[in-house]
Amino acid sequence: MMKTTLQRALASVPAMAAAAAMLLSGSAGAAVIATLGSGTAVKTVTNAAHFALNTAMASGYVEDGLLFSYTGSANNNGCGYAGVDCYGAPSDLSPAFSGNYMASSGNNAYISIRLASGLDFYKVEFAAGSSYLNLNGYWKTFNDSVQTGAGNISQPRGAVLALADAAGFDEVRYYAFSTANRQSGFSGAAIDEVRVGVPEPASVLLVAVGLFGLTAVRRQRTAVEAD
């Protein structure tokens, strides 16, 4: 006997639910995905920082629910802080830089990005710069003080670095070293135009599968009762 469209749809529910369950379980140990370019990770912005008011380059600076701090020194011998750098304009650090920005320098110095609430976030993009002429950035992500990811980027000039993790992180640290693929040494890190976005939870898929299944079962029961 040939299966009806409803029977085929009903039979597909367990497979769809299993796929959704695999997607959810996989997100618990999901890897951090790093990309370059504005909009490659963050589609809907929930928090954004431009550092326009942080003219004193204070650590512990909060803007739009984002908390920024740094190790090392914001002075950097007069280079790369509060909209002043050794190249003449912030855009020399990166095309994505404009006006004031956050910067630091020193041995293994980094800039930290968190939510002021302390909660996890799942997607972040920021203009990544360096006090060196070339960008050789290094990033780390953490969740509950446990490192969850790390990676290097190298560009002739600055770039927009995007990080995403379905499992979430509660801190991002950014460094900028003199040469490529370094994880330690003297760092001159600079960031600007930070954007945090909402996650795309797999739970939405599970809800959709559940509703589809309930609808199919109800229709099947209605058809049987009609017979």
Side-chain angles (χ1 to χ4, degrees):
M1 185 173 65
M2 293 182 64
K3 289 185 178 181
T4 66
T5 301
L6 178 60
Q7 286 173 322
R8 292 193 190 97
L10 199 59
S12 69
V13 170
M16 292 175 66
M22 288 177 64
L23 184 58
L24 274 182
S25 62
S27 69
V32 180
I33 299 174
T35 53
L36 295 177
S38 180
T40 57
V42 176
K43 308 300 182 184
T44 302
V45 179
T46 57
N47 311 77
H50 314 285
F51 305 105
L53 301 179
N54 193 23
T55 56
M57 272 307 306
S59 187
Y61 173 71
V62 177
E63 182 178 346
D64 195 21
L66 297 171
L67 171 62
F68 302 92
S69 58
Y70 56 79
T71 62
S73 169
N75 190 327
N76 192 21
N77 295 319
C79 301
Y81 69 102
V84 179
D85 66 85
C86 290
Y87 308 109
S91 59
D92 291 337
L93 282 154
S94 167
F97 273 56
S98 176
N100 292 351
Y101 53 90
M102 177 72 79
S104 183
S105 62
N107 193 42
N108 296 319
Y110 63 83
I111 300 172
S112 169
I113 304 171
R114 294 177 178 266
L115 288 181
S117 64
L119 296 175
D120 290 354
F121 53 108
Y122 301 85
K123 297 181 177 183
V124 62
E125 296 177 354
F126 57 91
S130 171
S131 62
Y132 296 100
L133 289 176
N134 295 322
L135 173 64
N136 294 294
Y138 177 58
W139 57 266
K140 292 181 182 179
T141 55
F142 294 83
N143 202 322
D144 295 330
S145 301
V146 176
Q147 184 176 317
T148 58
N152 292 90
I153 60 168
S154 291
Q155 294 289 305
R157 294 179 65 194
V160 174
L161 173 62
L163 302 173
D165 188 350
F169 35 70
D170 58 22
E171 182 183 16
V172 173
R173 296 179 184 178
Y174 172 70
Y175 310 71
F177 299 113
S178 59
T179 55
N181 301 316
R182 293 192 64 172
Q183 290 82 44
S184 63
F186 191 90
S187 167
I191 66 171
D192 198 3
E193 300 302 323
V194 182
R195 309 192 313 157
V196 167
V198 296
E200 297 170 3
S203 55
V204 175
L205 177 58
L206 278 182
V207 171
V209 169
L211 291 174
F212 176 81
L214 286 173
T215 302
V217 169
R218 286 173 182 169
R219 288 178 178 174
Q220 178 75 355
R221 286 178 179 173
T222 301
V224 171
E225 289 171 359
D227 292 340

